Amino acid sequence: MTTPSPTADTGAELLPIATPARTRAALRTLIRPDRGLALTGIGILVAATAVGLLVQPLLGRIVDIVADGRPAGDLTLPVVLLVAVAVVQGLTTTLGLTRIARLGETVLARLRERFVERALNLPADRLERAGAGDLTARVTGDVARVAEAVRSALPEMARSVLAILLTLGALALLDVRFLLAALLAVPVQLLTARWYVRRALTLYADQRVANGAQQQQLLETIGGAVTVRGHRLEEQHTERSAGRSRKAVDLTMRSVNLVLGFYGRLHIAEYIGLAAVLIAGFWLVRDGAVSIGTATAAALYFHSLFGPVNAALVLLDDAQSAAAGLARLVGVTDLAEQPEPAAGKPEAGKAAPASVPRQRIASPEAAVTVHAVSHAYGPGRPVLHEVSLTLEPGEHVALVGTSGAGKSTLARIVAGVQQPTSGTVTAPAGTGEHPVVLVTQEVHVFTGTLAEDLRLARPDATDADLRTALSTVHALDWAEALPDGLATVVGEGGHRLDPARAQQLALARLVLADPALAVLDEATAEAGSAGARVLERSAEAALAGRTALVVAHRLTQAVAADRVVVLEAGRVVESGPHDELRDADGPYAALWRAWSGSRTAAPHP
């Protein structure tokens, strides 16, 4: 279960945050595969802590020997035992903490993998509503905070809690009145913890939201720098960035003040408890109930609690911060964890429903059938209305229409990237790992060599396969002309590829993936006029021999298609070959006249 998505002052609908109960359940699920490692680590730490508790009685024994004026030789045994205790405790503590650390790293790796897997499967429209800043803040800041807690706070917290429990038990064994005296500090510590926790969780969650809003503003300002300068909006964007930065700083300072108040209250508890144990020791020694050495051991026991108690309570700071980050990560994994019907097959003993929404059915054929698909990005925001469409095996269909007609939404639904609100899509099952591949106008060049970037589509591809794919999309000449050929580093910090070449790289990946169905969503739109013709030839070559749905940015792509489908306001209004629709004087003819009228020569088949 997740809490409703908060809305930052950017206006974005942020991704949801899991409730504490859901976060704990997710954590148990993550730990469950390594229960044996957890139990072994805790067991070894219990043994290490128990051995360490022998130090105080041995020191008390030494005090009694000295107080009674016994021979110096009597000190040999307790001193030797002290050394043995130190060695055994050191070895067992190291072994236990190592196992707890390994558990933490394993769970953290599992959490990261699940988060990345779920984040990649989030609906595109949901990410667009949230903005890139929120997801970026979670995948960087929140993961880093949880990682820090796992590597440092978790082992220390485990050791501290065990030390507290066993030390209190040791105080009771010395004399239960020592335990009662020590417990006078507990009410102050509990009130301090409660005071802190009630404020910290909300504060850290607000801090994460503010950091996400700050990153979103910076991304928007930097990404749109040209537009910002063109409209003379530098001052406004600077003020927005400064305002969101001030909010993040204010929340950080509030957290600092909260921690300072937390420490101050803990010191008061220490003074109360130590004073109580010393007074109890004075009265018990005076009455002959215990020896000086026993009273000394009790005082040392309580003093040894300073470190574990303070560590455990102080680690609440890390724990609350990590819990806030973990809740944000679990919120993303839960959002993407949407069960889908199994290939349209009803459960045993149950009839299949008449209409199954959000269904995607795998077909052994390369045909694609869209049946009564509707989609809305929110209440009152319908984009598609009962769209039905069939692509025959090997057919190339161009999807055209004015801006906002729903072309990209339909393309994403056919590609399986977006789930429809209702209706069904029958897509090809294919024989390879990628039965459907979507190529959009926003292409990312991954950091690494050109060969590594291409092998994202087919890891086992040979260099010959890579060259064949590049040659297919007419990109081999420029690829081999790079400084190091296929070994040239591209992407961030590497050799820069212009938009046309980056798009050819994406089309080469499509060729390597060899899907049964290819969906191109304005895949040639990023290129300028000079590169448009080259990209259209590349796209035509990449689509050869496979079923294709092409969102046509330029109507030359519609001319080359087997069939043209026209969308208006989320509905199919025309469908047929280019020549037929052009001569029908309908919506497509109007689009064709508007598009070709600004060109000196309109291409015809």
Side-chain angles (χ1 to χ4, degrees):
M1 181 178 180
T2 57
T3 58
S5 302
T7 302
D9 55 6
T10 60
E13 182 187 343
L14 300 183
L15 296 168
I17 300 173
T19 61
R22 175 63 195 127
T23 303
R24 289 192 295 271
L27 189 58
R28 287 194 295 270
T29 301
L30 290 169
I31 294 176
R32 189 172 295 120
D34 297 291
R35 284 175 296 182
L37 183 61
L39 293 174
T40 303
I42 292 173
I44 294 174
L45 283 180
V46 168
T49 305
V51 170
L53 292 177
L54 296 174
V55 171
Q56 288 82 359
L58 288 172
L59 290 175
R61 178 63 177 167
I62 291 173
V63 169
D64 281 339
I65 291 173
V66 174
D68 294 342
R70 297 179 190 176
D74 290 352
L75 296 173
T76 303
L77 180 60
V79 169
V80 171
L81 290 176
L82 280 173
V83 174
V85 165
V87 172
V88 173
Q89 185 186 25
L91 292 175
T92 52
T93 298
T94 300
L95 181 59
L97 291 179
T98 299
R99 289 184 173 272
I100 294 296
R102 182 181 301 167
L103 170 68
E105 290 293 339
T106 303
V107 170
L108 178 61
R110 192 174 292 127
L111 173 64
R112 280 174 168 162
E113 291 169 0
R114 185 168 299 182
F115 177 84
V116 171
E117 177 187 356
R118 297 287 192 258
L120 289 175
N121 289 321
L122 284 177
D125 62 299
R126 188 64 186 86
L127 287 178
E128 290 169 2
R129 295 201 304 272
D134 186 33
L135 187 62
T136 301
R138 297 187 192 218
V139 80
T140 55
D142 291 324
V143 169
R145 186 54 59 94
V146 173
E148 181 183 351
V150 165
R151 289 167 182 154
S152 58
L154 177 63
E156 187 62 29
M157 176 70 84
R159 188 173 64 161
S160 297
V161 170
L162 290 174
I164 292 168
L165 295 176
L166 294 179
T167 300
L168 291 176
L171 276 172
L173 288 176
L174 292 178
D175 193 294
V176 72
R177 287 166 287 190
F178 285 127
L179 175 61
L180 295 176
L183 291 179
L184 291 176
V186 172
V188 179
Q189 292 167 336
L190 291 179
L191 289 174
T192 297
R194 183 185 177 193
W195 171 85
Y196 175 77
V197 169
R198 291 177 62 182
R199 289 162 175 78
L201 191 58
T202 302
L203 178 58
Y204 286 124
D206 291 344
Q207 194 173 1
R208 295 286 182 276
V209 172
N211 288 336
Q214 180 189 29
Q215 290 193 33
Q216 179 67 28
Q217 181 60 48
L218 291 174
L219 287 171
E220 290 178 352
T221 300
I222 295 172
V226 175
T227 303
V228 170
R229 287 195 296 268
H231 290 275
R232 304 294 184 185
L233 299 175
E234 296 95 336
E235 186 174 345
Q236 293 181 24
H237 276 257
T238 300
E239 180 56 35
R240 288 178 191 171
S241 298
R244 288 175 184 133
S245 296
R246 281 194 296 270
K247 183 174 181 180
V249 170
D250 289 343
L251 288 170
T252 300
M253 293 309 301
R254 282 176 55 190
S255 67
V256 170
N257 291 330
L258 181 66
V259 171
L260 291 176
F262 180 62
Y263 284 143
R265 287 167 170 79
L266 286 184
H267 293 326
I268 294 173
E270 290 175 357
Y271 298 147
I272 292 174
L274 184 58
V277 170
L278 290 174
I279 291 171
F282 170 78
W283 288 105
L284 290 173
V285 170
R286 194 188 67 170
D287 294 343
V290 298
S291 67
I292 296 176
T294 301
T296 301
L300 291 173
Y301 269 137
F302 187 80
H303 189 273
S304 70
L305 283 175
F306 285 8
V309 169
N310 287 348
L313 294 177
V314 167
L315 286 174
L316 284 174
D317 179 61
D318 292 334
Q320 292 301 312
S321 182
L326 183 61
R328 283 161 56 82
L329 297 177
V330 173
V332 172
T333 63
D334 283 353
L335 180 65
E337 205 168 26
Q338 299 172 348
E340 297 182 25
K345 296 180 181 179
E347 294 179 14
K350 294 185 180 181
S355 177
V356 184
R358 306 176 66 83
Q359 186 173 3
R360 184 173 183 80
I361 306 170
S363 166
E365 301 296 332
V368 178
T369 302
V370 178
H371 177 67
V373 163
S374 297
H375 188 69
Y377 288 116
R381 297 172 54 196
V383 178
L384 298 175
H385 305 271
E386 299 287 328
V387 173
S388 294
L389 175 67
T390 299
L391 280 73
E392 297 299 331
E395 184 182 23
H396 290 184
V397 174
L399 201 58
V400 303
T402 58
S403 179
K407 304 186 298 297
S408 291
T409 299
L410 181 58
R412 289 200 296 258
I413 289 174
V414 171
V417 174
Q418 181 75 52
Q419 290 291 339
T421 303
S422 63
T424 60
V425 176
T426 302
T431 57
E433 185 180 351
H434 308 284
V436 182
V437 169
L438 170 68
V439 180
T440 69
Q441 67 183 62
E442 298 176 358
V443 175
H444 182 73
V445 179
F446 293 88
T447 300
T449 66
L450 185 65
E452 290 171 343
D453 199 302
L454 288 167
R455 285 195 176 98
L456 290 171
R458 206 174 95 203
D460 62 347
T462 64
D463 285 352
D465 294 331
L466 303 185
R467 289 187 172 86
T468 299
L470 289 168
S471 178
T472 300
V473 298
H474 312 293
L476 183 60
D477 289 343
W478 66 255
E480 291 188 329
L482 293 174
D484 297 311
L486 295 181
T488 301
V489 175
V490 295
E492 188 70 27
H495 186 89
R496 183 181 178 276
L497 299 181
D498 61 41
R501 290 183 173 182
Q503 197 65 256
Q504 284 182 305
L505 184 59
L507 292 171
R509 287 199 293 255
L510 184 150
V511 172
L512 285 167
D514 193 22
L517 170 64
V519 180
L520 269 58
D521 184 6
E522 298 190 349
T524 64
E526 286 295 317
S529 299
R533 266 327 218 173
V534 174
L535 274 185
E536 287 176 7
R537 288 176 56 238
S538 298
E540 184 178 354
L543 298 180
R546 67 183 92 252
T547 309
L549 178 65
V550 180
V551 177
H553 175 71
R554 294 177 175 84
L555 291 190
T556 49
Q557 295 171 294
V559 174
D562 299 316
R563 182 159 51 100
V564 179
V565 173
V566 184
L567 281 184
E568 273 191 7
R571 291 180 171 86
V572 175
V573 295
E574 276 189 313
S575 177
H578 162 76
D579 286 342
E580 179 183 313
L581 296 184
R582 184 195 60 202
D583 297 335
D585 200 25
Y588 179 75
L591 287 172
W592 177 258
R593 287 193 298 268
W595 182 82
S596 61
S598 61
R599 288 157 176 79
T600 57
H604 289 270

